[in-house]
Amino acid sequence: MTRRPDIMADREDDPDSRTGLATQTRTKTARPPLYKVMLLNDDYTPMEFVVHILERFFGLSHAQAFEIMLTVHKKGLAVVGVFSFEIAETKVAQVMDFARRHQHPLQCTMEKE
Ligand code: TYC
């Protein structure tokens, strides 16, 4: 009969027993990463068009939309919302498609928070 070397004599369901290293089971649930959706300023897209986009795709009131549009206009960009990857991707695509169809150069991007 062939004898197993001692090094192999660990229980097969315990990967730590041979190395002496202990691992712990993680019980914490990882939250999915969030993504900032940002609008960028440009010199050509009309202010009312940007306000309309913020109302239509981001559910902002007219006053909130106007405020964020002005922030983008003055500072160059602003975060308009924070979403899961898939929602952020959809918002960016909706804004870019709507702007393109109206022939405005408005840019919308996303970035991991
Ligand atoms: N700067 C534009 C203008 O003066 C307005 C504007 C605001 C454009 C926000 C883009 O994301 C933007 N007409």
Short mmCIF file of all heavy atoms in Angstrom, two decimals, residues 1 4 8-10 14 17 25-27 40-41 44 56 58-59 63 70 74-75 81 83-84 86-87 89 104 106 109:
data_model
loop_
_atom_site.label_atom_id
_atom_site.label_comp_id
_atom_site.label_asym_id
_atom_site.label_seq_id
_atom_site.Cartn_x
_atom_site.Cartn_y
_atom_site.Cartn_z
N MET A 1 0.86 -1.20 0.00
CA MET A 1 0.00 0.00 0.00
C MET A 1 0.88 1.23 0.00
O MET A 1 1.85 1.33 0.72
CB MET A 1 -0.88 -0.01 1.26
CG MET A 1 -1.98 1.02 1.22
SD MET A 1 -2.92 0.99 2.74
CE MET A 1 -2.34 2.43 3.56
N ARG A 4 0.53 7.95 2.12
CA ARG A 4 0.50 9.38 1.77
C ARG A 4 1.55 10.09 2.61
O ARG A 4 1.67 9.83 3.79
CB ARG A 4 -0.87 9.98 2.12
CG ARG A 4 -1.97 9.56 1.18
CD ARG A 4 -3.13 10.51 1.19
NE ARG A 4 -3.56 10.89 2.55
CZ ARG A 4 -4.54 11.77 2.76
NH1 ARG A 4 -5.13 12.37 1.74
NH2 ARG A 4 -4.89 12.08 3.98
N MET A 8 0.32 15.73 3.04
CA MET A 8 -0.98 15.58 2.37
C MET A 8 -2.08 15.14 3.33
O MET A 8 -3.23 15.00 2.93
CB MET A 8 -0.87 14.52 1.27
CG MET A 8 0.13 14.85 0.19
SD MET A 8 -0.44 16.20 -0.86
CE MET A 8 -1.66 15.30 -1.83
N ALA A 9 -1.72 14.95 4.61
CA ALA A 9 -2.67 14.32 5.53
C ALA A 9 -3.73 15.26 6.09
O ALA A 9 -4.35 14.98 7.09
CB ALA A 9 -1.92 13.63 6.68
N ASP A 10 -3.90 16.41 5.46
CA ASP A 10 -4.92 17.34 5.94
C ASP A 10 -6.29 16.92 5.43
O ASP A 10 -6.43 16.20 4.46
CB ASP A 10 -4.60 18.77 5.49
CG ASP A 10 -4.42 18.84 3.98
OD1 ASP A 10 -3.67 17.99 3.45
OD2 ASP A 10 -5.00 19.71 3.34
N ASP A 14 -10.51 21.51 4.33
CA ASP A 14 -9.93 22.62 5.09
C ASP A 14 -8.60 23.04 4.47
O ASP A 14 -7.54 22.49 4.80
CB ASP A 14 -9.72 22.20 6.55
CG ASP A 14 -9.16 23.35 7.38
OD1 ASP A 14 -8.89 24.44 6.81
OD2 ASP A 14 -8.98 23.14 8.60
N SER A 17 -5.35 23.85 6.80
CA SER A 17 -4.78 22.94 7.79
C SER A 17 -3.31 22.61 7.51
O SER A 17 -2.54 22.38 8.43
CB SER A 17 -5.60 21.66 7.86
OG SER A 17 -5.52 20.98 6.61
N THR A 25 -14.06 33.96 7.15
CA THR A 25 -15.17 34.16 6.24
C THR A 25 -15.65 35.59 6.38
O THR A 25 -15.86 36.07 7.49
CB THR A 25 -16.31 33.19 6.61
OG1 THR A 25 -15.78 31.88 6.65
CG2 THR A 25 -17.42 33.28 5.59
N ARG A 26 -15.77 36.31 5.25
CA ARG A 26 -16.29 37.69 5.30
C ARG A 26 -17.80 37.66 5.44
O ARG A 26 -18.48 37.03 4.64
CB ARG A 26 -15.92 38.46 4.03
CG ARG A 26 -14.53 39.06 4.06
CD ARG A 26 -14.33 39.93 2.83
NE ARG A 26 -15.07 41.18 2.95
CZ ARG A 26 -14.60 42.25 3.57
NH1 ARG A 26 -13.40 42.24 4.09
NH2 ARG A 26 -15.32 43.35 3.66
N THR A 27 -18.29 38.32 6.44
CA THR A 27 -19.75 38.37 6.60
C THR A 27 -20.31 39.70 6.12
O THR A 27 -21.50 39.84 5.92
CB THR A 27 -20.15 38.13 8.06
OG1 THR A 27 -19.35 38.94 8.89
CG2 THR A 27 -19.98 36.68 8.43
N LEU A 40 -20.92 68.88 -18.61
CA LEU A 40 -19.80 69.78 -18.89
C LEU A 40 -20.32 71.03 -19.61
O LEU A 40 -21.27 70.96 -20.40
CB LEU A 40 -18.76 69.09 -19.78
CG LEU A 40 -18.25 67.71 -19.34
CD1 LEU A 40 -17.08 67.28 -20.22
CD2 LEU A 40 -17.83 67.70 -17.87
N ASN A 41 -19.69 72.14 -19.33
CA ASN A 41 -20.09 73.39 -19.99
C ASN A 41 -19.58 73.43 -21.43
O ASN A 41 -18.61 72.75 -21.78
CB ASN A 41 -19.52 74.59 -19.22
CG ASN A 41 -20.07 75.90 -19.73
OD1 ASN A 41 -21.24 75.98 -20.10
ND2 ASN A 41 -19.26 76.94 -19.77
N TYR A 44 -22.15 76.76 -26.63
CA TYR A 44 -23.20 76.77 -27.64
C TYR A 44 -24.56 76.23 -27.19
O TYR A 44 -25.60 76.66 -27.70
CB TYR A 44 -22.73 75.99 -28.87
CG TYR A 44 -21.42 76.50 -29.40
CD1 TYR A 44 -20.23 75.81 -29.15
CD2 TYR A 44 -21.36 77.70 -30.12
CE1 TYR A 44 -19.01 76.30 -29.63
CE2 TYR A 44 -20.15 78.19 -30.59
CZ TYR A 44 -18.97 77.48 -30.33
OH TYR A 44 -17.78 77.98 -30.79
N ARG A 56 -36.02 66.59 -17.25
CA ARG A 56 -36.54 65.40 -17.93
C ARG A 56 -35.85 64.11 -17.53
O ARG A 56 -36.50 63.09 -17.29
CB ARG A 56 -36.39 65.62 -19.44
CG ARG A 56 -36.84 64.45 -20.28
CD ARG A 56 -36.87 64.87 -21.72
NE ARG A 56 -37.22 63.77 -22.60
CZ ARG A 56 -37.82 63.94 -23.78
NH1 ARG A 56 -38.14 65.15 -24.19
NH2 ARG A 56 -38.09 62.92 -24.54
N PHE A 58 -33.32 63.78 -15.01
CA PHE A 58 -32.83 63.65 -13.63
C PHE A 58 -33.91 63.99 -12.60
O PHE A 58 -33.62 64.04 -11.41
CB PHE A 58 -31.57 64.50 -13.45
CG PHE A 58 -30.43 64.03 -14.32
CD1 PHE A 58 -30.25 64.56 -15.60
CD2 PHE A 58 -29.57 63.03 -13.90
CE1 PHE A 58 -29.22 64.11 -16.42
CE2 PHE A 58 -28.55 62.57 -14.71
CZ PHE A 58 -28.37 63.11 -15.98
N GLY A 59 -35.13 64.26 -13.06
CA GLY A 59 -36.25 64.47 -12.17
C GLY A 59 -36.11 65.68 -11.26
O GLY A 59 -36.67 65.70 -10.16
N ALA A 63 -36.47 74.91 -10.52
CA ALA A 63 -35.53 75.73 -9.74
C ALA A 63 -34.20 75.00 -9.52
O ALA A 63 -33.12 75.59 -9.69
CB ALA A 63 -36.16 76.10 -8.40
N LEU A 70 -26.67 76.68 -13.97
CA LEU A 70 -25.84 77.86 -13.73
C LEU A 70 -24.48 77.49 -13.13
O LEU A 70 -23.45 78.11 -13.47
CB LEU A 70 -26.55 78.84 -12.77
CG LEU A 70 -27.38 79.95 -13.40
CD1 LEU A 70 -27.76 80.97 -12.33
CD2 LEU A 70 -26.64 80.65 -14.54
N LYS A 74 -20.95 78.40 -14.86
CA LYS A 74 -19.93 79.23 -14.17
C LYS A 74 -18.66 78.45 -13.87
O LYS A 74 -17.55 78.99 -13.98
CB LYS A 74 -20.49 79.76 -12.85
CG LYS A 74 -21.56 80.82 -13.02
CD LYS A 74 -21.91 81.43 -11.65
CE LYS A 74 -23.34 81.91 -11.60
NZ LYS A 74 -23.85 82.02 -10.22
N LYS A 75 -18.81 77.19 -13.44
CA LYS A 75 -17.63 76.43 -12.96
C LYS A 75 -17.04 75.47 -13.99
O LYS A 75 -15.96 74.93 -13.78
CB LYS A 75 -18.01 75.63 -11.71
CG LYS A 75 -18.65 76.50 -10.62
CD LYS A 75 -18.00 76.32 -9.29
CE LYS A 75 -18.44 77.45 -8.38
NZ LYS A 75 -18.27 77.27 -6.98
N GLY A 81 -25.96 63.92 -10.46
CA GLY A 81 -26.56 62.81 -9.74
C GLY A 81 -25.55 61.71 -9.52
O GLY A 81 -24.50 61.68 -10.17
N PHE A 83 -25.33 57.43 -9.12
CA PHE A 83 -26.14 56.25 -9.44
C PHE A 83 -25.29 54.98 -9.49
O PHE A 83 -24.07 55.06 -9.55
CB PHE A 83 -26.79 56.42 -10.83
CG PHE A 83 -27.55 57.71 -10.99
CD1 PHE A 83 -26.96 58.80 -11.61
CD2 PHE A 83 -28.85 57.84 -10.53
CE1 PHE A 83 -27.65 60.01 -11.77
CE2 PHE A 83 -29.55 59.03 -10.68
CZ PHE A 83 -28.96 60.12 -11.31
N SER A 84 -25.95 53.84 -9.53
CA SER A 84 -25.26 52.58 -9.83
C SER A 84 -24.73 52.65 -11.26
O SER A 84 -25.15 53.50 -12.05
CB SER A 84 -26.25 51.41 -9.72
OG SER A 84 -27.19 51.50 -10.79
N GLU A 86 -25.16 50.87 -13.98
CA GLU A 86 -26.12 50.73 -15.08
C GLU A 86 -27.02 51.94 -15.25
O GLU A 86 -27.30 52.35 -16.37
CB GLU A 86 -26.97 49.47 -14.87
CG GLU A 86 -26.27 48.21 -15.33
CD GLU A 86 -27.24 47.05 -15.45
OE1 GLU A 86 -27.99 46.83 -14.47
OE2 GLU A 86 -27.25 46.40 -16.50
N ILE A 87 -27.47 52.50 -14.12
CA ILE A 87 -28.33 53.68 -14.19
C ILE A 87 -27.53 54.87 -14.73
O ILE A 87 -28.00 55.61 -15.61
CB ILE A 87 -28.94 54.02 -12.81
CG1 ILE A 87 -29.73 52.84 -12.24
CG2 ILE A 87 -29.82 55.27 -12.89
CD1 ILE A 87 -31.04 52.53 -12.93
N GLU A 89 -24.89 54.83 -16.65
CA GLU A 89 -24.65 54.60 -18.07
C GLU A 89 -25.88 54.98 -18.91
O GLU A 89 -25.76 55.59 -19.98
CB GLU A 89 -24.37 53.10 -18.26
CG GLU A 89 -23.19 52.78 -19.11
CD GLU A 89 -23.11 51.28 -19.40
OE1 GLU A 89 -24.04 50.52 -19.05
OE2 GLU A 89 -22.10 50.88 -19.99
N HIS A 104 -26.86 69.82 -30.41
CA HIS A 104 -26.13 70.63 -29.43
C HIS A 104 -24.90 69.84 -28.99
O HIS A 104 -24.96 68.62 -28.87
CB HIS A 104 -27.02 70.94 -28.22
CG HIS A 104 -28.19 71.81 -28.56
ND1 HIS A 104 -28.06 72.99 -29.27
CD2 HIS A 104 -29.51 71.67 -28.29
CE1 HIS A 104 -29.26 73.54 -29.42
NE2 HIS A 104 -30.16 72.76 -28.85
N LEU A 106 -23.52 69.50 -26.16
CA LEU A 106 -23.51 69.18 -24.73
C LEU A 106 -22.84 67.83 -24.45
O LEU A 106 -23.12 66.84 -25.13
CB LEU A 106 -24.96 69.14 -24.22
CG LEU A 106 -25.16 68.84 -22.74
CD1 LEU A 106 -24.59 69.95 -21.88
CD2 LEU A 106 -26.65 68.64 -22.45
N THR A 109 -20.79 62.99 -18.82
CA THR A 109 -19.86 61.90 -18.55
C THR A 109 -20.14 61.28 -17.19
O THR A 109 -20.87 61.85 -16.38
CB THR A 109 -18.38 62.37 -18.55
OG1 THR A 109 -18.23 63.34 -17.52
CG2 THR A 109 -17.99 62.97 -19.89
#
